[in-house]
Amino acid sequence: MSGTQVEKELANQLVETAEQLFAAGVMSHSGHANLSARLGADRFMLTPGFVIGIA
C-alpha cells in the first residue's frame, strides 16, 4: 500500500472514529472537536476545530 493510500485509510478511520464517538454521546454535538492520527515520527493528520455535519 502506498503512502497516499495509507493516509486515505487513516483519514477514513479518523472520520469513522469521530462518527462513533458522536453517536456514543461522548463528544459535544456543537461541532467543536479535534482528533488526530500520527502518520510518522514527525507527521500528524488533524481534524479542523469545527466540523459541520459530522454527526
Side-chain angles (χ1 to χ4, degrees):
M1 193 179 289
S2 74
T4 301
Q5 290 172 319
V6 170
E7 288 183 18
K8 286 181 182 179
E9 178 59 28
L10 285 172
N12 288 334
Q13 289 177 14
L14 196 60
V15 170
E16 289 173 12
T17 299
E19 290 172 342
Q20 291 170 358
L21 291 170
F22 276 108
V26 298
M27 292 183 72
S28 169
H29 285 276
S30 68
H32 296 277
N34 293 77
L35 300 174
S36 64
R38 184 181 292 271
L39 299 177
D42 60 349
R43 296 180 63 223
F44 294 88
M45 180 179 298
L46 305 170
T47 61
F50 185 73
V51 180
I52 297 173
I54 195 167

